Amino acid sequence: MANVEANHSEGHIVAIQGSVVDIRFERERPTINQMLRSGDVVIEVAALLDATTVRGLVLNAAEHGLALGQRVTDTGGPIMIPVGRAVLGRMLNMFGELIDGGPELEDVALRSIHGEIVPLSRRQVRSEIFETGIKAIDLLCPLERGGKAGLFGGAGVGKTVLITEMINNMVGKYEGVSLFCGIGERCREAEELYREMGAAGVRDKTVMVFGQMNESPGVRFRVGHSAMTIAEYFRDEAHQDVLMLIDNIFRFVQAGSEVSGLLGRIPSRVGYQPTLGTELSALEERIASTSSGSMTSIQAVYVPADDFTDPAATHIFSHLSASIVLSRKRASQGLYPAIDPLQSSANMLTPGVVGRRHYHVAQAVRHVFAEYEELKDIIAMLGLEELSEGDRRTVAQARRLERFLTQPFFSTEAFTGRPGRMVSLKDTIEGCERILGGEFAALPEQAFYMIGAIDALEQSGADERARSADRETGE
């Protein structure tokens, strides 16, 4: 754990309430965000109570314990973490300590976790698509290179699987660095991700920073800032493009709410902290592209009770250039990735950015899905036979497109037995165009399920015809 060596003032603990302590200093008191120490216990100043007393958030008291009257030393600076190329391939905690059991870090510098937001004059905006290799995302809600995208969904609809798939696809495609930040997630996921990265051979281009759900709210609240500091180093000093993956940004808001309650602040709407907007902005606005490199962020967003009007979800929405909404209904039908084509959106989906062909195909696909959604009630009440010929054709197209936009993932091969597929945007657009044109109307809709590019369908059709011919010859 990094420390700033300085001969600063000392104080003693005068009150303890859970993870919050009040400390009275004999001389000059520290400022907000200053790091204090009491033995191995780390405390961060969260509020100034009077001329000599501060209120601090204890980050690791569970391991060491605290007592009234215990001496506390001001370190003279904020929490610092190591940055440098040596952290590539390593797993760290919020304090910059290694948690992967590997050798100690060498040739690293220390940086404050409270980085400066890049001013508008230094930001660089690029109208460039960040291709993921996932059909439904690249077609319907293309990501912006240097932008922020959110994966919205309740529990168990596939947010973490989608993020791990993107890591797998991105490292090979873009010559940059991936940084995975786990906020309040399960210990099992961290361990599995570390192993999968090694097996895929992409760990040496990835940094993993974790503040897990069994840790204090202060750690879960600050781990995002620690990860952002490392990402800023690779963007500003190493001049590399950075893919920043956060799982789960809602846990950051949740930890902030817990911290706010511990500090005695009066709750705001739906029980959230009154500082929700400013806390989220302080983290999100550090994600920006400059002339030295781009920082693209993909964030999983847990939506409480699938309620998209929840204050946490609405505040997060305001920072994003693309919103990928995962549907529980589609997940229950086995349509993975369970992306809702009508609720998902992206600022980049305009003719001037993606091109007229991509834009018109995406709009046509959305139109077919919207018409199918309107027809579902009629089908449920009267049956498919009562629809007009045109409506039946629309339903057939929609069901084929639904299945074509499913995709086998590399990260789920062990569970499904299906080899993963990465599909280029060009192949995705071509496949949807041909389905919309009615080229495969004679094929059963199940033939489109969990294939890669449309060529795989033609290959499977050719194989089936060859098998039929062999059977006829045998007879």
Side-chain angles (χ1 to χ4, degrees):
M1 195 179 302
N3 192 5
V4 179
E5 294 296 335
N7 184 22
H8 283 268
S9 59
E10 289 194 341
H12 61 278
I13 296 172
V14 295
I16 301 175
Q17 188 171 3
S19 297
V20 171
V21 293
D22 292 350
I23 305 157
R24 184 168 295 136
F25 282 81
E26 296 149 8
R27 291 189 289 132
E28 184 183 352
R29 72 177 181 192
T31 58
I32 296 287
N33 294 335
Q34 201 94 324
M35 184 173 94
L36 315 176
R37 275 187 176 281
S38 180
D40 290 326
V41 177
V42 177
I43 303 167
E44 186 177 58
V45 177
L48 308 177
L49 300 184
D50 57 42
T52 59
T53 312
V54 300
R55 179 162 289 167
L57 200 63
V58 183
L59 300 178
N60 59 347
E63 304 167 27
H64 307 288
L66 287 173
L68 288 172
Q70 194 166 318
R71 305 299 294 177
V72 177
T73 305
D74 174 14
T75 65
I79 297 170
M80 309 282 280
I81 63 162
V83 296
R85 303 204 67 82
V87 300
L88 285 171
R90 308 306 300 271
M91 188 189 291
L92 313 170
N93 65 11
M94 190 220 96
F95 304 104
E97 296 174 327
L98 295 171
I99 54 174
D100 56 11
E104 289 298 313
L105 294 174
E106 295 179 1
D107 192 26
V108 290
L110 297 178
R111 266 195 188 187
S112 165
I113 67 169
H114 303 284
E116 294 292 324
I117 292 173
V118 178
L120 287 173
S121 58
R122 284 187 51 222
R123 296 191 182 209
Q124 194 170 76
V125 179
R126 304 175 183 175
S127 294
E128 190 179 338
I129 295 298
F130 192 83
E131 203 172 316
T132 65
I134 298 170
K135 291 183 285 189
I137 292 176
D138 290 341
L139 178 72
L140 299 172
C141 38
L143 307 185
E144 177 186 1
R145 191 171 189 183
K148 295 186 273 280
L151 291 175
F152 288 82
V157 292
K159 297 185 298 298
T160 301
V161 171
L162 207 48
I163 274 195
T164 54
E165 185 68 9
M166 285 185 192
I167 292 176
N168 184 81
N169 292 359
M170 291 314 133
V171 174
K173 187 172 178 63
Y174 292 94
E175 288 297 320
V177 172
S178 290
L179 198 145
F180 184 92
C181 176
I183 305 179
E185 291 300 296
R186 302 166 187 84
C187 305
R188 169 186 59 78
E189 290 176 345
E191 192 270 336
E192 284 177 357
L193 182 65
Y194 185 78
R195 276 191 292 108
E196 285 168 8
M197 290 286 158
V202 297
R203 192 194 295 158
D204 61 339
K205 289 283 187 73
T206 309
V207 185
M208 284 161 275
V209 185
F210 285 94
Q212 295 159 83
M213 61 168 53
N214 63 321
E215 299 190 71
S216 71
V219 168
R220 286 181 274 121
F221 184 61
R222 286 298 182 211
V223 68
H225 296 271
S226 296
M228 208 67 69
T229 301
I230 298 173
E232 286 166 346
Y233 165 82
F234 284 106
R235 181 194 65 194
D236 300 334
E237 307 298 327
H239 304 289
Q240 288 185 282
D241 291 345
V242 180
L243 176 63
M244 178 78 180
L245 300 126
I246 302 176
D247 188 9
N248 187 301
I249 195 67
F250 172 78
R251 304 293 177 202
F252 167 77
V253 174
Q254 196 175 44
S257 181
E258 292 176 53
V259 167
S260 181
L262 289 168
L263 295 174
R265 296 178 187 144
I266 297 171
S268 183
R269 185 178 159 212
V270 198
Y272 285 105
Q273 62 270 42
T275 51
L276 169 58
T278 52
E279 288 172 358
L280 190 61
S281 296
L283 184 70
E284 292 279 8
E285 289 306 309
R286 290 174 68 178
I287 301 169
S289 295
T290 67
S291 56
S292 55
S294 71
M295 191 189 296
T296 305
S297 176
I298 300 168
Q299 308 170 12
V301 187
Y302 168 69
V303 181
D306 293 341
D307 178 15
F308 284 88
T309 63
D310 186 87
T314 55
H315 273 83
I316 294 165
F317 260 122
S318 65
H319 290 278
L320 305 175
S321 58
S323 300
I324 303 164
V325 179
L326 301 180
S327 160
R328 190 172 303 281
K329 186 177 179 183
R330 294 176 77 81
S332 67
Q333 294 169 343
L335 300 173
Y336 288 105
I339 295 169
D340 189 317
L342 300 179
Q343 288 196 62
S344 301
S345 62
N347 297 346
M348 300 294 281
L349 193 58
T350 61
V353 176
V354 299
R356 291 191 173 278
R357 183 188 179 207
H358 180 174
Y359 176 76
H360 289 309
V361 170
Q363 293 301 101
V365 168
R366 276 220 175 96
H367 180 69
V368 168
F369 282 139
E371 285 194 349
Y372 179 42
E373 199 64 33
E374 291 175 359
L375 293 170
K376 279 181 178 177
D377 288 340
I378 299 172
I379 295 168
M381 288 187 290
L382 304 175
L384 191 63
E385 296 75 19
E386 297 301 315
L387 298 180
S388 66
E389 187 178 335
D391 286 344
R392 283 203 296 272
R393 192 161 51 246
T394 298
V395 170
Q397 277 186 348
R399 291 178 67 84
R400 282 166 174 74
L401 285 167
E402 271 185 338
R403 282 148 184 78
F404 176 64
L405 292 177
T406 61
Q407 192 166 340
F409 283 172
F410 293 97
S411 55
T412 59
E413 282 181 2
F415 307 106
T416 63
R418 297 175 186 267
R421 294 281 184 270
M422 186 173 173
V423 184
S424 70
L425 176 59
K426 177 176 170 291
D427 289 342
T428 301
I429 294 171
E430 182 189 342
C432 290
E433 265 183 338
R434 293 170 71 179
I435 293 169
L436 289 165
E439 188 174 329
F440 303 103
L443 288 176
E445 60 192 40
Q446 199 58 28
F448 297 81
Y449 183 68
M450 286 293 172
I451 62 171
I454 204 73
D455 296 343
L457 186 69
E458 293 179 317
Q459 182 60 45
S460 64
D463 292 345
E464 182 58 38
R465 286 192 296 273
R467 282 193 293 271
S468 299
D470 288 343
R471 284 196 296 270
E472 288 172 7
T473 305
E475 289 169 3

mmCIF file of all heavy atoms in Angstrom, residues 327-361:
data_model
loop_
_atom_site.group_PDB
_atom_site.id
_atom_site.type_symbol
_atom_site.label_atom_id
_atom_site.label_comp_id
_atom_site.label_asym_id
_atom_site.label_seq_id
_atom_site.Cartn_x
_atom_site.Cartn_y
_atom_site.Cartn_z
ATOM 1 N N SER A 327 -32.808 -7.526 -22.333
ATOM 2 C CA SER A 327 -34.199 -7.846 -22.037
ATOM 3 C C SER A 327 -34.308 -9.206 -21.351
ATOM 4 O O SER A 327 -33.790 -10.206 -21.855
ATOM 5 C CB SER A 327 -34.998 -7.851 -23.346
ATOM 6 O OG SER A 327 -36.189 -8.574 -23.220
ATOM 7 N N ARG A 328 -34.994 -9.239 -20.220
ATOM 8 C CA ARG A 328 -35.204 -10.511 -19.515
ATOM 9 C C ARG A 328 -36.089 -11.445 -20.347
ATOM 10 O O ARG A 328 -35.907 -12.664 -20.341
ATOM 11 C CB ARG A 328 -35.856 -10.237 -18.153
ATOM 12 C CG ARG A 328 -35.903 -11.471 -17.252
ATOM 13 C CD ARG A 328 -36.371 -11.109 -15.861
ATOM 14 N NE ARG A 328 -35.533 -10.096 -15.261
ATOM 15 C CZ ARG A 328 -34.338 -10.343 -14.716
ATOM 16 N NH1 ARG A 328 -33.844 -11.563 -14.746
ATOM 17 N NH2 ARG A 328 -33.629 -9.371 -14.187
ATOM 18 N N LYS A 329 -37.032 -10.871 -21.074
ATOM 19 C CA LYS A 329 -37.934 -11.684 -21.896
ATOM 20 C C LYS A 329 -37.154 -12.397 -22.993
ATOM 21 O O LYS A 329 -37.352 -13.591 -23.250
ATOM 22 C CB LYS A 329 -39.022 -10.792 -22.506
ATOM 23 C CG LYS A 329 -40.097 -11.549 -23.256
ATOM 24 C CD LYS A 329 -41.165 -10.594 -23.758
ATOM 25 C CE LYS A 329 -42.242 -11.348 -24.524
ATOM 26 N NZ LYS A 329 -43.264 -10.441 -25.085
ATOM 27 N N ARG A 330 -36.250 -11.682 -23.648
ATOM 28 C CA ARG A 330 -35.451 -12.300 -24.713
ATOM 29 C C ARG A 330 -34.498 -13.346 -24.136
ATOM 30 O O ARG A 330 -34.254 -14.385 -24.754
ATOM 31 C CB ARG A 330 -34.675 -11.227 -25.483
ATOM 32 C CG ARG A 330 -35.577 -10.283 -26.242
ATOM 33 C CD ARG A 330 -34.797 -9.177 -26.903
ATOM 34 N NE ARG A 330 -34.126 -9.634 -28.113
ATOM 35 C CZ ARG A 330 -34.709 -9.769 -29.298
ATOM 36 N NH1 ARG A 330 -35.997 -9.486 -29.432
ATOM 37 N NH2 ARG A 330 -34.031 -10.177 -30.344
ATOM 38 N N ALA A 331 -33.952 -13.060 -22.939
ATOM 39 C CA ALA A 331 -33.074 -14.040 -22.294
ATOM 40 C C ALA A 331 -33.838 -15.330 -21.991
ATOM 41 O O ALA A 331 -33.305 -16.433 -22.154
ATOM 42 C CB ALA A 331 -32.495 -13.452 -21.014
ATOM 43 N N SER A 332 -35.094 -15.196 -21.554
ATOM 44 C CA SER A 332 -35.906 -16.382 -21.231
ATOM 45 C C SER A 332 -36.230 -17.188 -22.483
ATOM 46 O O SER A 332 -36.510 -18.382 -22.410
ATOM 47 C CB SER A 332 -37.196 -15.961 -20.524
ATOM 48 O OG SER A 332 -38.037 -15.247 -21.401
ATOM 49 N N GLN A 333 -36.196 -16.544 -23.664
ATOM 50 C CA GLN A 333 -36.439 -17.250 -24.927
ATOM 51 C C GLN A 333 -35.164 -17.861 -25.499
ATOM 52 O O GLN A 333 -35.193 -18.497 -26.549
ATOM 53 C CB GLN A 333 -37.037 -16.270 -25.953
ATOM 54 C CG GLN A 333 -38.422 -15.770 -25.579
ATOM 55 C CD GLN A 333 -38.870 -14.616 -26.472
ATOM 56 O OE1 GLN A 333 -38.062 -13.984 -27.149
ATOM 57 N NE2 GLN A 333 -40.153 -14.342 -26.483
ATOM 58 N N GLY A 334 -34.021 -17.620 -24.799
ATOM 59 C CA GLY A 334 -32.746 -18.165 -25.266
ATOM 60 C C GLY A 334 -32.108 -17.353 -26.371
ATOM 61 O O GLY A 334 -31.213 -17.841 -27.061
ATOM 62 N N LEU A 335 -32.559 -16.097 -26.564
ATOM 63 C CA LEU A 335 -32.008 -15.237 -27.607
ATOM 64 C C LEU A 335 -30.836 -14.444 -27.031
ATOM 65 O O LEU A 335 -31.004 -13.333 -26.533
ATOM 66 C CB LEU A 335 -33.093 -14.296 -28.150
ATOM 67 C CG LEU A 335 -34.314 -14.988 -28.772
ATOM 68 C CD1 LEU A 335 -35.392 -13.974 -29.119
ATOM 69 C CD2 LEU A 335 -33.908 -15.782 -30.017
ATOM 70 N N TYR A 336 -29.643 -15.041 -27.064
ATOM 71 C CA TYR A 336 -28.446 -14.402 -26.505
ATOM 72 C C TYR A 336 -27.529 -13.913 -27.620
ATOM 73 O O TYR A 336 -27.354 -14.625 -28.607
ATOM 74 C CB TYR A 336 -27.686 -15.393 -25.618
ATOM 75 C CG TYR A 336 -28.367 -15.699 -24.316
ATOM 76 C CD1 TYR A 336 -29.024 -16.912 -24.112
ATOM 77 C CD2 TYR A 336 -28.365 -14.765 -23.291
ATOM 78 C CE1 TYR A 336 -29.649 -17.186 -22.909
ATOM 79 C CE2 TYR A 336 -28.986 -15.041 -22.082
ATOM 80 C CZ TYR A 336 -29.623 -16.246 -21.894
ATOM 81 O OH TYR A 336 -30.245 -16.521 -20.701
ATOM 82 N N PRO A 337 -26.921 -12.716 -27.506
ATOM 83 C CA PRO A 337 -27.098 -11.764 -26.405
ATOM 84 C C PRO A 337 -28.508 -11.203 -26.392
ATOM 85 O O PRO A 337 -29.073 -10.935 -27.457
ATOM 86 C CB PRO A 337 -26.064 -10.674 -26.719
ATOM 87 C CG PRO A 337 -25.855 -10.760 -28.205
ATOM 88 C CD PRO A 337 -25.995 -12.204 -28.552
ATOM 89 N N ALA A 338 -29.059 -11.019 -25.182
ATOM 90 C CA ALA A 338 -30.473 -10.663 -25.024
ATOM 91 C C ALA A 338 -30.695 -9.159 -25.192
ATOM 92 O O ALA A 338 -31.286 -8.490 -24.347
ATOM 93 C CB ALA A 338 -30.952 -11.132 -23.647
ATOM 94 N N ILE A 339 -30.220 -8.616 -26.309
ATOM 95 C CA ILE A 339 -30.300 -7.172 -26.550
ATOM 96 C C ILE A 339 -31.674 -6.807 -27.092
ATOM 97 O O ILE A 339 -32.161 -7.417 -28.052
ATOM 98 C CB ILE A 339 -29.179 -6.741 -27.522
ATOM 99 C CG1 ILE A 339 -27.814 -6.954 -26.866
ATOM 100 C CG2 ILE A 339 -29.350 -5.293 -27.963
ATOM 101 C CD1 ILE A 339 -26.644 -6.826 -27.816
ATOM 102 N N ASP A 340 -32.315 -5.822 -26.462
ATOM 103 C CA ASP A 340 -33.620 -5.339 -26.913
ATOM 104 C C ASP A 340 -33.384 -4.364 -28.070
ATOM 105 O O ASP A 340 -32.844 -3.271 -27.859
ATOM 106 C CB ASP A 340 -34.346 -4.632 -25.763
ATOM 107 C CG ASP A 340 -35.789 -4.308 -26.114
ATOM 108 O OD1 ASP A 340 -36.030 -3.858 -27.246
ATOM 109 O OD2 ASP A 340 -36.676 -4.484 -25.245
ATOM 110 N N PRO A 341 -33.784 -4.705 -29.302
ATOM 111 C CA PRO A 341 -33.459 -3.847 -30.453
ATOM 112 C C PRO A 341 -34.222 -2.531 -30.469
ATOM 113 O O PRO A 341 -33.794 -1.578 -31.123
ATOM 114 C CB PRO A 341 -33.852 -4.720 -31.651
ATOM 115 C CG PRO A 341 -34.880 -5.657 -31.118
ATOM 116 C CD PRO A 341 -34.533 -5.907 -29.687
ATOM 117 N N LEU A 342 -35.350 -2.460 -29.769
ATOM 118 C CA LEU A 342 -36.171 -1.251 -29.795
ATOM 119 C C LEU A 342 -35.797 -0.267 -28.694
ATOM 120 O O LEU A 342 -35.963 0.942 -28.851
ATOM 121 C CB LEU A 342 -37.653 -1.615 -29.701
ATOM 122 C CG LEU A 342 -38.163 -2.519 -30.832
ATOM 123 C CD1 LEU A 342 -39.643 -2.843 -30.635
ATOM 124 C CD2 LEU A 342 -37.947 -1.854 -32.195
ATOM 125 N N GLN A 343 -35.312 -0.767 -27.550
ATOM 126 C CA GLN A 343 -34.918 0.130 -26.467
ATOM 127 C C GLN A 343 -33.465 0.569 -26.547
ATOM 128 O O GLN A 343 -33.095 1.623 -26.036
ATOM 129 C CB GLN A 343 -35.161 -0.545 -25.107
ATOM 130 C CG GLN A 343 -36.625 -0.667 -24.729
ATOM 131 C CD GLN A 343 -36.770 -0.966 -23.245
ATOM 132 O OE1 GLN A 343 -36.371 -0.186 -22.395
ATOM 133 N NE2 GLN A 343 -37.342 -2.120 -22.940
ATOM 134 N N SER A 344 -32.622 -0.228 -27.196
ATOM 135 C CA SER A 344 -31.204 0.119 -27.328
ATOM 136 C C SER A 344 -31.041 1.244 -28.346
ATOM 137 O O SER A 344 -31.776 1.323 -29.334
ATOM 138 C CB SER A 344 -30.396 -1.100 -27.774
ATOM 139 O OG SER A 344 -30.550 -2.153 -26.838
ATOM 140 N N SER A 345 -30.043 2.112 -28.090
ATOM 141 C CA SER A 345 -29.842 3.253 -28.995
ATOM 142 C C SER A 345 -28.383 3.676 -28.965
ATOM 143 O O SER A 345 -27.638 3.318 -28.051
ATOM 144 C CB SER A 345 -30.729 4.426 -28.577
ATOM 145 O OG SER A 345 -30.375 4.867 -27.274
ATOM 146 N N ALA A 346 -27.994 4.456 -29.978
ATOM 147 C CA ALA A 346 -26.622 4.962 -30.047
ATOM 148 C C ALA A 346 -26.616 6.277 -30.812
ATOM 149 O O ALA A 346 -27.293 6.416 -31.835
ATOM 150 C CB ALA A 346 -25.714 3.951 -30.731
ATOM 151 N N ASN A 347 -25.844 7.235 -30.316
ATOM 152 C CA ASN A 347 -25.713 8.526 -30.992
ATOM 153 C C ASN A 347 -25.029 8.396 -32.342
ATOM 154 O O ASN A 347 -25.191 9.240 -33.215
ATOM 155 C CB ASN A 347 -24.907 9.504 -30.121
ATOM 156 C CG ASN A 347 -25.602 9.809 -28.806
ATOM 157 O OD1 ASN A 347 -26.787 9.515 -28.634
ATOM 158 N ND2 ASN A 347 -24.875 10.403 -27.875
ATOM 159 N N MET A 348 -24.225 7.338 -32.507
ATOM 160 C CA MET A 348 -23.441 7.173 -33.737
ATOM 161 C C MET A 348 -24.265 6.660 -34.912
ATOM 162 O O MET A 348 -23.797 6.686 -36.050
ATOM 163 C CB MET A 348 -22.280 6.199 -33.486
ATOM 164 C CG MET A 348 -21.318 6.628 -32.404
ATOM 165 S SD MET A 348 -20.412 8.100 -32.851
ATOM 166 C CE MET A 348 -19.167 7.424 -33.936
ATOM 167 N N LEU A 349 -25.472 6.168 -34.659
ATOM 168 C CA LEU A 349 -26.276 5.572 -35.726
ATOM 169 C C LEU A 349 -26.954 6.666 -36.554
ATOM 170 O O LEU A 349 -28.163 6.889 -36.490
ATOM 171 C CB LEU A 349 -27.300 4.599 -35.154
ATOM 172 C CG LEU A 349 -28.000 3.686 -36.177
ATOM 173 C CD1 LEU A 349 -26.971 2.854 -36.940
ATOM 174 C CD2 LEU A 349 -29.015 2.791 -35.508
ATOM 175 N N THR A 350 -26.137 7.364 -37.344
ATOM 176 C CA THR A 350 -26.624 8.392 -38.271
ATOM 177 C C THR A 350 -25.949 8.153 -39.618
ATOM 178 O O THR A 350 -24.833 7.613 -39.677
ATOM 179 C CB THR A 350 -26.271 9.813 -37.778
ATOM 180 O OG1 THR A 350 -24.844 9.938 -37.702
ATOM 181 C CG2 THR A 350 -26.884 10.093 -36.410
ATOM 182 N N PRO A 351 -26.600 8.538 -40.730
ATOM 183 C CA PRO A 351 -25.996 8.291 -42.053
ATOM 184 C C PRO A 351 -24.620 8.931 -42.216
ATOM 185 O O PRO A 351 -23.750 8.377 -42.887
ATOM 186 C CB PRO A 351 -27.012 8.914 -43.018
ATOM 187 C CG PRO A 351 -28.284 9.008 -42.263
ATOM 188 C CD PRO A 351 -27.918 9.178 -40.822
ATOM 189 N N GLY A 352 -24.410 10.082 -41.576
ATOM 190 C CA GLY A 352 -23.144 10.776 -41.717
ATOM 191 C C GLY A 352 -21.976 10.064 -41.058
ATOM 192 O O GLY A 352 -20.826 10.271 -41.436
ATOM 193 N N VAL A 353 -22.261 9.203 -40.067
ATOM 194 C CA VAL A 353 -21.190 8.513 -39.334
ATOM 195 C C VAL A 353 -21.022 7.077 -39.821
ATOM 196 O O VAL A 353 -19.923 6.648 -40.178
ATOM 197 C CB VAL A 353 -21.466 8.533 -37.815
ATOM 198 C CG1 VAL A 353 -20.408 7.730 -37.071
ATOM 199 C CG2 VAL A 353 -21.511 9.964 -37.291
ATOM 200 N N VAL A 354 -22.100 6.310 -39.843
ATOM 201 C CA VAL A 354 -21.994 4.879 -40.181
ATOM 202 C C VAL A 354 -22.175 4.614 -41.678
ATOM 203 O O VAL A 354 -21.907 3.506 -42.140
ATOM 204 C CB VAL A 354 -23.025 4.046 -39.381
ATOM 205 C CG1 VAL A 354 -22.789 4.183 -37.897
ATOM 206 C CG2 VAL A 354 -24.460 4.414 -39.738
ATOM 207 N N GLY A 355 -22.642 5.608 -42.409
ATOM 208 C CA GLY A 355 -22.895 5.412 -43.837
ATOM 209 C C GLY A 355 -24.361 5.094 -44.107
ATOM 210 O O GLY A 355 -25.071 4.580 -43.236
ATOM 211 N N ARG A 356 -24.809 5.404 -45.310
ATOM 212 C CA ARG A 356 -26.239 5.248 -45.638
ATOM 213 C C ARG A 356 -26.682 3.785 -45.622
ATOM 214 O O ARG A 356 -27.772 3.461 -45.170
ATOM 215 C CB ARG A 356 -26.536 5.864 -47.004
ATOM 216 C CG ARG A 356 -26.428 7.393 -47.009
ATOM 217 C CD ARG A 356 -26.985 7.993 -48.284
ATOM 218 N NE ARG A 356 -27.015 9.443 -48.179
ATOM 219 C CZ ARG A 356 -27.974 10.137 -47.582
ATOM 220 N NH1 ARG A 356 -28.986 9.487 -47.020
ATOM 221 N NH2 ARG A 356 -27.940 11.443 -47.536
ATOM 222 N N ARG A 357 -25.837 2.901 -46.128
ATOM 223 C CA ARG A 357 -26.225 1.489 -46.202
ATOM 224 C C ARG A 357 -26.470 0.918 -44.807
ATOM 225 O O ARG A 357 -27.517 0.319 -44.545
ATOM 226 C CB ARG A 357 -25.130 0.693 -46.920
ATOM 227 C CG ARG A 357 -25.491 -0.774 -47.100
ATOM 228 C CD ARG A 357 -24.303 -1.555 -47.630
ATOM 229 N NE ARG A 357 -24.597 -2.964 -47.789
ATOM 230 C CZ ARG A 357 -23.690 -3.920 -47.736
ATOM 231 N NH1 ARG A 357 -22.415 -3.618 -47.534
ATOM 232 N NH2 ARG A 357 -24.033 -5.192 -47.877
ATOM 233 N N HIS A 358 -25.504 1.110 -43.908
ATOM 234 C CA HIS A 358 -25.645 0.626 -42.527
ATOM 235 C C HIS A 358 -26.884 1.246 -41.876
ATOM 236 O O HIS A 358 -27.683 0.544 -41.242
ATOM 237 C CB HIS A 358 -24.379 0.977 -41.743
ATOM 238 C CG HIS A 358 -24.410 0.520 -40.314
ATOM 239 N ND1 HIS A 358 -23.319 0.632 -39.472
ATOM 240 C CD2 HIS A 358 -25.391 -0.035 -39.530
ATOM 241 C CE1 HIS A 358 -23.633 0.155 -38.273
ATOM 242 N NE2 HIS A 358 -24.886 -0.230 -38.279
ATOM 243 N N TYR A 359 -27.053 2.553 -42.025
ATOM 244 C CA TYR A 359 -28.178 3.251 -41.386
ATOM 245 C C TYR A 359 -29.513 2.704 -41.875
ATOM 246 O O TYR A 359 -30.406 2.404 -41.066
ATOM 247 C CB TYR A 359 -28.074 4.749 -41.685
ATOM 248 C CG TYR A 359 -29.230 5.544 -41.147
ATOM 249 C CD1 TYR A 359 -29.335 5.846 -39.784
ATOM 250 C CD2 TYR A 359 -30.242 5.994 -41.996
ATOM 251 C CE1 TYR A 359 -30.406 6.571 -39.285
ATOM 252 C CE2 TYR A 359 -31.318 6.718 -41.513
ATOM 253 C CZ TYR A 359 -31.391 7.004 -40.151
ATOM 254 O OH TYR A 359 -32.467 7.717 -39.671
ATOM 255 N N HIS A 360 -29.660 2.537 -43.181
ATOM 256 C CA HIS A 360 -30.956 2.083 -43.733
ATOM 257 C C HIS A 360 -31.256 0.635 -43.346
ATOM 258 O O HIS A 360 -32.407 0.289 -43.063
ATOM 259 C CB HIS A 360 -30.974 2.263 -45.247
ATOM 260 C CG HIS A 360 -31.060 3.699 -45.679
ATOM 261 N ND1 HIS A 360 -32.013 4.564 -45.183
ATOM 262 C CD2 HIS A 360 -30.308 4.428 -46.555
ATOM 263 C CE1 HIS A 360 -31.865 5.766 -45.732
ATOM 264 N NE2 HIS A 360 -30.827 5.708 -46.565
ATOM 265 N N VAL A 361 -30.221 -0.214 -43.326
ATOM 266 C CA VAL A 361 -30.440 -1.613 -42.908
ATOM 267 C C VAL A 361 -30.860 -1.658 -41.436
ATOM 268 O O VAL A 361 -31.798 -2.372 -41.072
ATOM 269 C CB VAL A 361 -29.171 -2.460 -43.150
ATOM 270 C CG1 VAL A 361 -29.311 -3.838 -42.493
ATOM 271 C CG2 VAL A 361 -28.911 -2.619 -44.633
#
